[in-house]
Amino acid sequence: MKTAQKRLGKAPNVAVAAAALLPLSLTACGGADPADAEAKNTLTIQDYYDEAHDPIYQACAKSLGVDIEINHVPGPGLIPKVLQQSASRTLPDVLMLDNPDGQQIAASGALSPLTDYGVSGEGLVPSVVKAGTYEGKLYGLAPAVNTLAIFYNKDIFEAAGITAPPKTWDELRSTAKKLTQQGRYGFAMSNINTYEGTWQFLPFMWSNGGSEEDITTPETAQALQFVVDLQNDGSMSKSSVIWSQSDVIDQFIAGKAAMVVNGPWQIPSLKEHKDLNWATFTIPTRLASQTPVAPLGGEIFTVPRTGDKARMAKAGQFVKCLASSASQLQSAQIRQNIPANPDDAEKFGESDQTIMPFVTAVRNARARTGILGPNWPKAATKIYNAVQIALTGLATPAEALRQTQGE
C-alpha cells in the first residue's frame, strides 16, 4: 500500500465518491461503439501504474493476438475518472483497481463476473480471491500483492548488541527503547489520518484478535495502547500522526529510525543506498503463540460492462493472462510485489531473503473488505480517527475507540 505518488496497496480516498457510485448501475451497461475492425481488436487498459508494467500488458496482448491502448492515471484520480467514464459510457475494457475499491465498484453494477469468461482464482492465495469477490462472484484478480513487515538497520542492531529481531510486542517495545537515542527513534510507523494510517495499524489489531465489525473490543484497545506506549516511551515520534509511509521510509534512510513498518515496494529505493545495511522481519504479535495477520495490498484487474460482449470476452482472457504464473513473477520482479500463487511466491522469496517476511505475511494476510465488503471505508475511517485521538492525548485508547465506533 503506497502513497498516492508511489502506490501499490493503498486504498484511494473513495469515501467522497461513494455517493456517486449508484449511477454506475444505470450507466455502465453502455459502451463505445467500435467503428472498425481495428477498433474491435484493440483492448483499452486503465491503471495507476507507470510504463514499467507495460511489457506485461504487451506480452499478454501478443499471446491473445490483440492490440492494446494503455492509459496510466494518477492514483488519486482513478476512481473519479471511473465514475466519469461510467456516466459517459466510456469505461475501458480492462480496469485495474486497488483491491479495497473493487467491491464498491462491483456493487454499482459496473463490472462483469470473471467466471463469465472461464476465469477463476484456483491456486491463488485465498485472501486474493476474497479481495476480488463480491456477493459470491469473482470480479477481480490480483496477479501480485503486497503487505507489511518491518525494515531494520542491521548496523544499529549490531552496535546495540541485539542479535535477533523481536518476535513479541514486549520484545519490540524493549528493542525500540534500546535503539532510541538523541536524533534517532527506535521505531517508526505511519499513523496519519488517512486509510494509510489504518493500513499500518491493522497488523497489530488483527493479529491480536481485533475486528473492524466492532473496534471497541479489548483486543483492539490493547493494540492501540501498545502503539501509544511506543510513543510515550519516546521510542516513536509524535510526528507519526502526520507521517505517510514515504515519510517513514525517509526517516529510515536518513538514520533517524532504526525500525520501520513498511511494504516491499520500498525495496528498490532502499537498494539504491549502498551504505545502508538493512533487513526485514515479520511484524511481532502480542503473544508468541499468536499468528501474525497483516492486511493484503495490491491491485485487482477487472472487466467492466462496456456492452461489447466480444471485447469483454477478450478482456476476460486478458485478465486470465495477467494472472498466469509467468505474469505474476514478472509483475513481482518489476514491483517487488508477492506472486498471488503460493508456490510462485515461495520461489520468489527464496531468491531474496529480504522478501521472505512479506511472503510469509501474505500467507495469512486478510482482505480489508473480507468482512464488511463495500462498507470497509467507513470502518477504516473510524480506525484511523481513533488512532489519531489516542496518540494526540485527547482520550485513552479504549475511549477513543468507543468515540469513533459510534461515528
Side-chain angles (χ1 to χ4, degrees):
M1 174 172 174
K2 287 191 168 186
T3 60
Q5 289 75 29
K6 299 179 179 178
R7 308 175 45 117
L8 276 183
K10 179 180 182 295
N13 193 345
V14 297
V16 295
L21 285 172
L22 183 59
L24 284 169
S25 60
L26 303 177
T27 62
C29 58
D33 182 19
D36 50 39
E38 182 179 354
K40 288 182 179 180
N41 202 46
T42 299
L43 295 179
T44 53
I45 319 296
Q46 185 166 289
D47 65 15
Y48 55 60
Y49 286 161
D50 55 31
E51 290 75 10
H53 208 81
D54 290 0
I56 300 175
Y57 297 150
Q58 297 291 354
C60 283
K62 184 176 181 181
S63 70
L64 295 173
V66 298
D67 296 321
I68 55 174
E69 293 179 359
I70 306 168
N71 182 25
H72 299 300
V73 178
L78 181 62
I79 295 300
K81 187 172 182 65
V82 168
L83 296 173
Q84 184 276 325
Q85 288 172 323
S86 176
S88 60
R89 302 186 180 184
T90 55
L91 285 165
D93 298 304
V94 177
L95 173 64
M96 187 202 77
L97 295 167
D98 192 24
N99 77 73
D101 297 335
Q103 294 204 14
Q104 285 198 10
I105 303 303
S108 74
L111 306 178
S112 59
L114 294 180
T115 48
D116 289 355
Y117 316 111
V119 182
S120 74
E122 184 178 358
L124 303 184
V125 174
S127 59
V128 171
V129 178
K130 198 161 189 177
T133 299
Y134 173 67
E135 293 191 340
K137 293 184 178 181
L138 183 67
Y139 286 92
L141 280 183
V145 295
N146 60 66
T147 188
L148 293 168
I150 293 181
F151 292 84
Y152 71 102
N153 188 306
K154 295 173 69 176
D155 291 337
I156 294 176
F157 265 55
E158 184 178 352
I162 301 171
T163 58
K167 294 184 178 180
T168 66
W169 287 2
D170 284 345
E171 291 176 1
L172 179 60
R173 189 176 175 186
S174 63
T175 299
K177 276 186 180 181
K178 193 170 185 178
L179 297 176
T180 298
Q181 62 179 39
Q182 185 67 33
R184 185 184 72 210
Y185 291 98
F187 179 82
M189 64 184 288
S190 171
N191 291 303
I192 197 168
N193 60 337
T194 68
Y195 295 155
E196 200 165 343
T198 297
W199 157 264
Q200 290 234 322
F201 178 67
L202 287 176
F204 301 98
M205 171 178 148
W206 279 347
S207 297
N208 199 44
S211 171
E212 55 271 36
E213 286 187 292
D214 178 4
I215 63 173
T216 66
T217 63
E219 291 79 8
T220 299
Q222 283 178 329
L224 185 50
Q225 184 65 61
F226 174 68
V227 176
V228 170
D229 287 342
L230 285 168
Q231 177 181 274
N232 290 347
D233 286 344
S235 300
M236 184 178 75
S237 173
K238 291 182 179 179
S239 295
S240 75
V241 294
I242 59 171
W243 281 350
S244 68
Q245 292 180 110
S246 290
D247 295 325
V248 168
I249 207 67
D250 286 344
Q251 294 291 314
F252 183 69
I253 292 171
K256 296 180 180 180
M259 298 182 288
V260 298
V261 178
N262 233 296
W265 58 84
Q266 304 288 10
I267 291 176
S269 62
L270 288 177
K271 286 183 175 179
E272 293 176 3
H273 296 270
K274 304 300 182 184
D275 59 338
L276 189 62
N277 188 16
W278 59 275
T280 57
F281 64 91
T282 302
I283 297 175
T285 52
R286 183 173 65 87
L287 304 174
S289 59
Q290 292 174 319
T291 299
V293 181
L296 182 79
E299 293 75 30
I300 60 173
F301 286 87
T302 68
V303 178
R305 295 183 185 276
T306 61
D308 189 323
K309 292 184 178 180
R311 284 171 61 153
M312 288 168 64
K314 288 181 182 177
Q317 293 308 302
F318 193 89
V319 171
K320 185 176 183 179
C321 176
L322 292 177
S324 68
S325 181
S327 294
Q328 284 186 41
L329 285 169
Q330 192 176 359
S331 179
Q333 289 162 357
I334 290 173
R335 307 227 159 245
Q336 293 299 295
N337 269 1
I338 312 304
N341 179 288
D343 293 336
D344 291 333
E346 197 71 23
K347 293 176 185 176
F348 188 60
E350 290 171 356
S351 69
D352 186 343
Q353 286 305 302
T354 61
I355 287 286
M356 190 54 79
F358 296 101
V359 172
T360 302
V362 163
R363 293 184 196 132
N364 297 306
R366 185 180 298 173
R368 283 161 281 174
T369 53
I371 294 177
L372 298 181
N375 289 321
W376 162 252
K378 296 178 182 177
T381 302
K382 294 177 182 179
I383 293 168
Y384 71 64
N385 281 340
V387 172
Q388 288 267 311
I389 291 170
L391 286 175
T392 53
L394 297 176
T396 66
E399 290 168 347
L401 291 164
R402 283 195 293 270
Q403 285 180 28
T404 61
Q405 174 67 26
E407 290 178 351

